Amino acid sequence: MSKDYDKIAAIEKAIIERYGKEAVQNPKANWDENKEKDYLNQSKQFYKKIYKNEEWQEKVDVNGIKISKKLLNRESLKSCPVCGSFPKKSMDDVCLVKFECCSNCYIQYVEDREERWLKGWRPNEANKK
């Protein structure tokens, strides 16, 4: 048995020479209450982040199709308030955010008349045809 202890001591000495004394000391040697509190706070934040990411991985039913929440944002789920169409292109999303209409309605009613649109004018049923 003494040969095993001698071998362990020789390995430990080699590790100390190569990597320093911290490499062979007990991990609890430098641990105190402040480090414990920091560790607990960091682990809480880590698990909150994981939980939040898991929420985004949930699937949402959109017209019978299951889609991950992270692929959707609330703006893209809106339909055009002017014509009622569902946004299909990224330009539709841009127009919905900026002018509250799809890109087709933007071209038909808003383009070159932004001031009138921003003042509140909207097409009525007679103008939509």
Side-chain angles (χ1 to χ4, degrees):
M1 272 211 166
S2 66
K3 290 182 182 180
D4 291 337
Y5 291 126
D6 292 338
K7 188 176 183 180
I8 291 171
I11 292 171
E12 197 172 288
K13 184 178 178 184
I15 291 172
I16 290 172
E17 288 175 5
R18 183 156 188 170
Y19 299 108
K21 199 171 187 176
E22 296 86 24
V24 294
Q25 72 182 14
N26 187 337
K28 291 184 177 180
N30 294 326
W31 201 256
D32 61 0
E33 290 295 319
N34 290 332
K35 287 185 179 181
E36 181 71 21
K37 288 178 184 177
D38 289 341
Y39 169 75
L40 291 175
N41 282 335
Q42 289 173 4
S43 63
K44 283 180 186 177
Q45 291 173 357
F46 174 74
Y47 286 112
K48 281 181 185 178
K49 187 175 181 181
I50 287 177
Y51 180 72
K52 188 175 182 180
N53 286 338
E54 286 176 356
E55 284 180 0
W56 283 103
Q57 296 297 329
E58 288 180 25
K59 303 291 183 188
V60 178
D61 188 274
V62 177
N63 296 333
I65 300 171
K66 296 278 186 182
I67 299 175
S68 175
K69 270 187 179 180
K70 76 177 185 181
L71 297 175
L72 301 173
N73 61 24
R74 299 233 179 237
E75 296 298 325
S76 67
L77 290 176
K78 291 194 321 187
S79 61
C80 176
V82 178
C83 68
S85 69
F86 191 75
K88 298 174 186 91
K89 302 180 270 182
S90 59
M91 187 61 183
D92 288 333
D93 289 335
V94 171
C95 291
L96 273 169
V97 169
K98 191 167 184 180
F99 295 104
E100 298 176 2
C101 66
C102 66
S103 60
N104 290 336
C105 291
Y106 172 78
I107 291 169
Q108 188 171 2
Y109 302 116
V110 181
E111 194 170 39
D112 297 327
R113 299 175 285 246
E114 284 94 359
E115 289 180 28
R116 176 176 75 166
W117 186 268
L118 293 173
K119 286 180 182 175
W121 180 89
R122 298 294 182 267
N124 55 27
E125 292 301 319
N127 291 347
K128 286 184 183 180
K129 295 178 181 177

